[in-house]
Amino acid sequence: IDEIRCGPLNIPGIYGPFDYRTATLEQKYLVESAHFTSDVENLVMRPGSAVGPDIAYTVRAFPNHPRALKAMMELAVKEKTDKPDRVRWPVDCWSNRAIRFTPDDPSVRLVYGIFLLRRGESKAAVEQLELARAGGLSSGNFHYNLGLAYFQAKEYERARLQAYKARELGF
């Protein structure tokens, strides 16, 4: 059902898909220099243009590209929609595709968890962030966001412990 709703990972005519963690510098450069420039990443739109198609191309080529996934989610928030302008699938699908492609990549879970948190879906955010932790993430920023998710889910003791952990890690 995920492939029906969110599309196949291998799309004829599209470069990739490649695991962003193991892609060569050449593979990254080829996509990022043309489609994921700093203007695209920062959602700088020129009159008459849209950044959505370039972000979408990037996450089709690298489904687990953490900065491109974050940019897609930021674009959805900016446009106040689940499916940004001129983009084929909603944000949940881009996350679904990344998770299907690299289920062991904790950065995908982190980015999606933060998006869910911003959307007010605290229980789902906690689930994604706990999967990121199980995958090995442990930074001040990570524990801060996990603490926020616990706090929104009204799990105050767990939130407090994450705040201490974030502070311990320099956040």
Side-chain angles (χ1 to χ4, degrees):
I1 186 122
D2 289 338
E3 191 167 305
I4 293 169
R5 189 174 72 83
C6 299
L9 294 171
N10 292 306
I11 300 172
I14 297 293
Y15 186 66
F18 303 105
D19 184 335
Y20 192 73
R21 299 169 298 177
T22 59
T24 66
L25 290 175
E26 182 182 0
Q27 290 168 328
K28 290 177 181 181
Y29 179 78
L30 192 62
V31 173
E32 291 175 340
S33 66
H35 296 282
F36 198 63
T37 63
S38 61
D39 279 354
V40 171
E41 183 172 7
N42 293 306
L43 309 181
V44 176
M45 294 182 235
R46 310 252 184 268
S49 70
V51 296
D54 281 318
I55 299 170
Y57 186 94
T58 304
V59 291
R60 280 192 308 265
F62 302 105
N64 63 325
H65 191 302
R67 291 183 1 259
L69 284 169
K70 181 182 179 295
M72 182 67 78
M73 293 171 192
E74 293 292 337
L75 183 60
V77 168
K78 181 178 182 176
E79 293 182 0
K80 298 181 174 108
T81 182
D82 287 336
K83 185 179 165 294
D85 184 43
R86 296 178 51 194
V87 171
R88 186 172 185 176
W89 297 294
V91 169
D92 285 335
C93 279
W94 295 108
S95 298
N96 171 285
R97 293 167 60 77
I99 291 166
R100 278 190 287 142
F101 186 66
T102 53
D104 65 328
D105 187 345
S107 65
V108 168
R109 304 291 185 158
L110 171 63
V111 172
Y112 189 40
I114 292 170
F115 175 73
L116 291 168
L117 185 62
R118 288 181 70 187
R119 230 170 42 182
E121 297 180 37
S122 57
K123 299 249 187 258
V126 165
E127 181 181 318
Q128 291 301 315
L129 292 169
E130 285 178 344
L131 287 166
R133 178 171 53 188
L137 283 188
S138 182
S139 67
N141 181 57
F142 168 74
H143 288 284
Y144 170 80
N145 282 291
L146 180 56
L148 286 178
Y150 282 141
F151 190 83
Q152 272 192 16
K154 298 183 178 6
E155 296 184 40
Y156 300 119
E157 181 57 24
R158 293 174 96 180
R160 184 178 67 79
L161 293 173
Q162 293 306 309
Y164 287 136
K165 184 70 175 174
R167 185 174 64 190
E168 179 184 307
L169 292 171
F171 196 79

